[in-house]
Amino acid sequence: MTKIVGWNLVKGPATLMYPQRERIFTPITRGRIENAIERCIFCGLCGRRCPTFAIAVAKENKEWQIDRLRCCVCNLCVEICPTKCLSTNQQYPAPVSARELAIHRENQPPSPAGKDEAPRQGNRGDA
Ligand code: SF4
Ligand code: SF4
């Protein structure tokens, strides 16, 4: 016990002083799901596999959407996608004050909810 207390006094806090110190992402950091919509065939497999029902696909409208507040970044949708258009970005979504859906449509730029997710650095403390 004394040894642990002494070690912690010398070592200092395990958390990072965000935003003064920038977070360094590792190769396996999971930030958010991205869709290269030009390769999406709107098969819906990702939505059926998603354990949190974060993805909705409308094949008839060629529309793919994700509710990022539901997504736990488990990566299952990325693994099952037959065209490999889904990927996991290392950047975390920007904080939001209300639920917004990021909507992607074929041949169109992402919806405003998709666009406002500017890369965010250093939001998770190092352990
Ligand atoms: S599994 Fe891939 S191709 Fe199928 S709807 Fe999802 S993102 Fe599009
Ligand atoms: S990463 Fe997991 S939780 Fe997030 S959308 Fe894909 S399957 Fe759903």
Side-chain angles (χ1 to χ4, degrees), residues 35 39-46 57 64 81-83 85-86:
N35 192 346
R39 295 210 308 272
C40 180
I41 56 173
F42 305 96
C43 64
L45 275 177
C46 53
V57 182
W64 182 95
C81 177
T83 65
C85 63
L86 292 179

Side-chain angles (χ1 to χ4, degrees), residues 33 49-52 54-55 66 70-77:
I33 298 298
R49 189 69 185 88
C50 178
T52 63
I55 294 176
I66 183 167
R70 280 179 178 266
C71 176
C72 62
V73 205
C74 66
N75 223 38
L76 290 175
C77 55

Side-chain angles (χ1 to χ4, degrees), residues 83-112:
T83 65
K84 303 294 173 212
C85 63
L86 292 179
S87 60
T88 308
N89 191 318
Q90 286 183 315
Q91 305 296 328
Y92 297 109
V96 292
S97 56
R99 185 176 295 274
E100 287 182 335
L101 299 175
I103 303 173
H104 297 259
R105 295 186 181 90
E106 192 180 44
N107 302 325
Q108 285 180 31
S111 67

